[in-house]
Amino acid sequence: MKKQNKWQKILNCRTISLVLAMGMLVAVCVGCESKEQSQHVPDLVEPVGVDVDTAVVAKMKLSSMCSYQGEVVPDMKGMYFLNSGQVASVEVKIGDKVKKGQLLATLKGADTTVKDLQKDLLDMRQENEELNASAKNTIKQMKEEYRQLLKKRNKAQTKKEKAAFEKQKIAQEENIKTEELKLKHQKELQASIVSDLNEDLAIAKKKTKWDKLYSDINGEVIRKTISPGDFVSGGGSVFTLANMEKTKIRTEYIGSSVLKKASSYHAMINGKRYAVTAEEQNISQYDIEMGNFPASTYFNYKGDVHAQVGDSVSIDLYNNETDDALVVPSNAVYKTKGSYYVYRMEGGAKKRVNVTTGTVTDAYTQILSGVKEGDVVYVQD
């Protein structure tokens, strides 16, 4: 019993000592807290000697990027008549393969007009030949009569007879001149009428050509909006052909303002980068106000591209390109109440430094002020 009391006393003494020590530690900490409230303490988050992830502030070419997914599609070609009129025939259907120069459809009327004008021209020429031949015969006969008249005048015996023949001679000369002048005017009028008919025929032939719609590419009919008997207006698309030999890129609609804002953009197809241009998007102010935007945006290649219809494409738009931007990893930048800061490493410790940021990407953030090239900053996991 005496031995147990001895160990119990020792345990009790150690307990008391531990309690006293903890009390002293609390008192010291309270004093420290009071002292800290009255003095400025640097932002030393990590003790010296602790390993942390860091990065060196460096310069590099930087730009923000936005990607849009798309696909390679055939170039679409709208086909339309130059004239308005009624459809006479449609020679192809959806799904047909067509060749350049192949007849697609025709309008009524023009062929008949050409044939009528050709007949009128032929009849006119035949009629003119007959009229001119008759006039020439008349003049020829009048000249023969004139020669006979001269012979009679030369044989006249008396002055009275000679005077009478002289009057007839003068009258006959006037008649011949009149007939020759009439023939000349007749030929001029005929030439004018024939010229007008030829002009009308040329116009009709041209119109006939416009009334026939031919394919100007090798492709496939993917859309048809006309049937025989339909009335069409000149300039309105009636067929859409897919040009499998020429492709372009289609994406979701990208606003013109977004495209204009981009410093540059290109397409990534099958792991290769290609320069492209965006097709002009004609959208009226009314459509913009009503929110009626196109379903797609199309891009054309600037050079030769090895792509097939159906290939997936990424259109990458770059903004705010800077060749020598001062950057840090984006996960080194912190934000609070609208301001940004980093932890600059000083002697193994982290010191908070306010910074001004510029272009931001998923990987890097441009620093405009606050740190300099070569500084080391803390990078959070």
Side-chain angles (χ1 to χ4, degrees):
M1 292 297 294
K2 290 180 179 181
K3 189 175 183 178
Q4 291 178 351
N5 292 335
K6 182 180 178 179
W7 286 107
Q8 187 173 7
K9 289 179 179 181
I10 293 172
L11 180 62
N12 291 336
C13 288
R14 289 182 176 179
T15 302
I16 293 171
S17 298
L18 180 60
V19 171
L20 290 173
M22 291 178 65
M24 293 175 65
L25 180 61
V26 170
V28 171
C29 290
V30 171
C32 290
E33 182 178 356
S34 174
K35 188 175 182 180
E36 285 180 354
Q37 290 176 351
S38 62
Q39 296 181 1
H40 173 71
V41 179
D43 293 332
L44 298 177
V45 180
E46 297 284 352
V48 177
V50 176
D51 293 333
V52 294
D53 293 329
T54 61
V56 178
V57 180
K59 288 186 177 181
M60 63 178 290
K61 184 175 182 179
L62 182 69
S63 62
S64 59
M65 184 185 75
C66 184
S67 295
Y68 296 85
Q69 296 304 308
E71 63 176 338
V72 177
V73 297
D75 187 29
M76 303 299 176
K77 179 73 173 181
M79 303 299 300
Y80 54 87
F81 286 102
L82 294 176
N83 286 337
S84 299
Q86 190 175 20
V87 178
S89 64
V90 177
E91 308 296 334
V92 294
K93 60 182 182 300
I94 293 177
D96 283 354
K97 301 284 194 304
V98 297
K99 294 183 178 180
K100 186 175 181 178
Q102 182 175 336
L103 180 64
L104 303 177
T106 60
L107 298 180
K108 291 181 178 179
D111 283 338
T112 302
T113 303
V114 169
K115 291 177 181 178
D116 290 343
L117 286 171
Q118 287 174 334
K119 185 177 183 303
D120 290 344
L121 190 58
L122 179 61
D123 292 342
M124 175 63 68
R125 285 173 175 165
Q126 291 176 347
E127 183 180 348
N128 290 344
E129 289 177 1
E130 293 175 358
L131 289 173
N132 294 339
S134 176
K136 289 178 180 179
N137 288 331
T138 299
I139 295 172
K140 182 178 179 181
Q141 184 178 353
M142 291 176 69
K143 287 182 176 181
E144 180 61 29
E145 292 175 353
Y146 178 76
R147 285 192 293 269
Q148 296 298 324
L149 184 62
L150 290 178
K151 290 179 180 181
K152 290 179 180 180
R153 185 199 65 172
N154 293 334
K155 292 179 180 181
Q157 298 296 321
T158 65
K159 290 183 178 181
K160 185 176 180 180
E161 289 179 342
K162 288 182 178 180
F165 282 125
E166 186 64 26
K167 289 182 180 180
Q168 292 180 28
K169 169 183 166 292
I170 294 173
Q172 189 69 359
E173 288 175 347
E174 290 297 324
N175 289 337
I176 292 173
K177 287 181 181 180
T178 300
E179 290 299 322
E180 289 178 336
L181 186 60
K182 285 172 59 179
L183 177 59
K184 179 183 177 181
H185 290 165
Q186 180 175 285
K187 286 182 177 180
E188 290 175 351
L189 179 59
Q190 291 169 349
S192 176
I193 295 174
V194 169
S195 176
D196 290 342
L197 283 174
N198 279 322
E199 186 176 343
D200 291 343
L201 180 59
I203 294 173
K205 286 182 176 180
K206 192 173 183 179
K207 186 175 183 297
T208 298
K209 184 178 180 181
W210 291 345
D211 282 347
K212 291 183 179 180
L213 183 58
Y214 297 91
S215 172
D216 55 8
I217 62 170
N218 296 323
E220 179 180 330
V221 181
I222 63 172
R223 178 174 172 268
K224 177 180 74 70
T225 62
I226 58 170
S227 298
D230 291 346
F231 184 86
V232 297
S233 298
S237 178
V238 293
F239 291 100
T240 300
L241 306 182
N243 188 350
M244 298 301 180
E245 298 174 352
K246 181 181 178 183
T247 61
K248 62 173 63 176
I249 297 169
R250 179 178 64 196
T251 68
E252 62 182 279
Y253 173 69
I254 305 174
S256 297
S257 59
V258 175
L259 293 172
K260 291 179 181 178
K261 182 181 177 181
S263 304
S264 64
Y265 45 87
H266 66 260
M268 293 294 295
I269 308 175
N270 299 325
K272 294 185 178 180
R273 175 174 173 167
Y274 298 98
V276 294
T277 58
E279 288 188 357
E280 185 175 354
Q281 303 178 97
N282 296 318
I283 309 174
S284 67
Q285 185 61 37
Y286 173 79
D287 285 333
I288 293 176
E289 293 175 356
M290 296 300 295
N292 299 326
F293 296 101
S296 305
T297 295
Y298 291 90
F299 295 83
N300 293 308
Y301 317 112
K302 285 188 176 180
D304 294 334
V305 175
H306 300 292
Q308 295 181 345
V309 174
D311 284 349
S312 296
V313 183
S314 172
I315 295 291
D316 299 330
L317 273 62
Y318 294 87
N319 295 294
N320 307 317
E321 285 187 325
T322 305
D323 290 333
D324 57 349
L326 192 68
V327 301
V328 299
S330 290
N331 57 348
V333 181
Y334 296 80
K335 180 180 180 181
T336 178
K337 295 181 180 179
S339 62
Y340 297 88
Y341 62 91
V342 299
Y343 286 112
R344 184 172 61 203
M345 302 304 299
E346 296 184 357
K350 297 185 292 187
K351 181 177 180 179
R352 174 172 167 171
V353 178
N354 291 330
V355 295
T356 304
T357 61
T359 300
V360 179
T361 71
D362 291 339
Y364 295 99
T365 296
Q366 181 183 15
I367 303 298
L368 302 178
S369 65
V371 295
K372 64 182 183 301
E373 186 178 9
D375 286 349
V376 179
V377 296
Y378 167 70
V379 180
Q380 60 183 320
D381 294 336

